[in-house]
Amino acid sequence: MEFFIDTANLDQIKEMQELGIIDGVTTNPTLLAKEGAEPNEQLKKICEIVKGPVSAEVIGLTTEVMVKEARELSKIASNIVVKIPMTKDGIKAVKILDKEGIKTNVTLVFSQNQVLIAAKAGATYISPFIGRLMDNSQNEIDTLWEMMEIINAYDFKSKLLVASIRNARHVVEAAKMGAHVATIPFAVLEKMFKHPNTDKGLEAFLKDWEKLQNQLKNK
Ligand code: E4P
């Protein structure tokens, strides 16, 4: 399973990149707005840190504008993947961009039928927003299983990129079903490292080691 980090913050990206655990980055207009920098400059900096896929989203709503924006975004760096919203115009744009060899990430996906349509259009990645499904009292895990079944049933080339992850359990569930990618917020990545027994165990080992050293000194 590939791990992407779901942020546009350079410090967070650098920290996880240095740990060697991330394969790519996803951004969206909200995440870029949080950083307050010129978006294309920020994306360029992100692409310099991470060599894997970096998702950047179009703002336009018509196929024509989306395709134009996608061509511009893909000039920022060779690892840019263009995020396209799951609309009729978006799907038309995905087909055009696929033919041009521009990688796409169909975003704001909430249903199994949307996955099927995006896969048929030739999306490189498809991003179901599981946290927002959960917020809407829908069973996000069952929905995700069915999405994965659909991708596997027809051997589509699209990769399921699990997005809107809210907790470490979401990552486990995505991994259990063999989802290709999980895009994970920094805070959740941090939690995935930790278990209270790891800290307690380490403390006890070090204490016992020190005890032994003192015993040996006093022999
Ligand atoms: C990533 O591709 C998505 O834009 C992001 O995961 C959405 O997460 P949110 O629902 O927490 O805003």
Side-chain angles (χ1 to χ4, degrees), residues 17-71:
Q17 169 72 10
E18 276 164 19
L19 285 169
I21 61 158
I22 54 164
D23 305 292
V25 180
T26 51
T27 69
N28 63 32
T30 305
L31 293 172
L32 280 163
K34 262 191 207 165
E35 301 310 312
E38 201 287 310
N40 288 4
E41 285 302 313
Q42 190 76 359
L43 287 163
K44 200 170 170 204
K45 286 180 187 163
I46 295 172
C47 291
E48 277 160 14
I49 302 169
V50 177
K51 297 298 161 214
V54 173
S55 286
E57 192 159 339
V58 295
I59 302 300
L61 297 176
T62 63
T63 304
E64 198 190 340
V65 178
M66 284 188 221
V67 168
K68 200 169 161 240
E69 276 185 66
R71 289 178 186 143

Side-chain angles (χ1 to χ4, degrees), residues 6 26 28 83 129 132 163-164 166 183:
D6 195 23
T26 51
N28 63 32
K83 258 182 159 180
F129 277 29
R132 295 191 195 187
S164 185
R166 294 284 154 78
T183 188

Side-chain angles (χ1 to χ4, degrees), residues 67-154:
V67 168
K68 200 169 161 240
E69 276 185 66
R71 289 178 186 143
E72 287 307 310
L73 285 169
S74 64
K75 283 183 198 153
I76 294 174
S78 58
N79 50 334
I80 285 280
V81 171
V82 183
K83 258 182 159 180
I84 305 278
M86 178 58 222
T87 59
K88 284 181 182 169
D89 275 79
I91 289 302
K92 277 197 232 165
V94 167
K95 287 196 92 158
I96 296 168
L97 296 169
D98 185 40
K99 282 195 191 117
E100 291 182 17
I102 294 177
K103 289 188 173 145
T104 56
N105 173 358
V106 175
T107 188
L108 290 164
V109 167
F110 294 92
S111 77
Q112 298 85 329
N113 281 320
Q114 289 178 325
V115 167
L116 188 53
I117 291 169
K120 280 175 71 69
T124 317
Y125 297 96
I126 304 174
S127 291
F129 277 29
I130 63 167
R132 295 191 195 187
L133 279 175
M134 184 181 80
D135 296 344
N136 209 28
S137 303
Q138 278 181 261
N139 188 324
E140 76 281 21
I141 305 304
D142 286 355
T143 308
L144 200 55
W145 270 102
E146 289 192 6
M147 290 170 169
M148 200 62 224
E149 257 182 275
I150 290 166
I151 295 285
N152 290 337
Y154 293 97

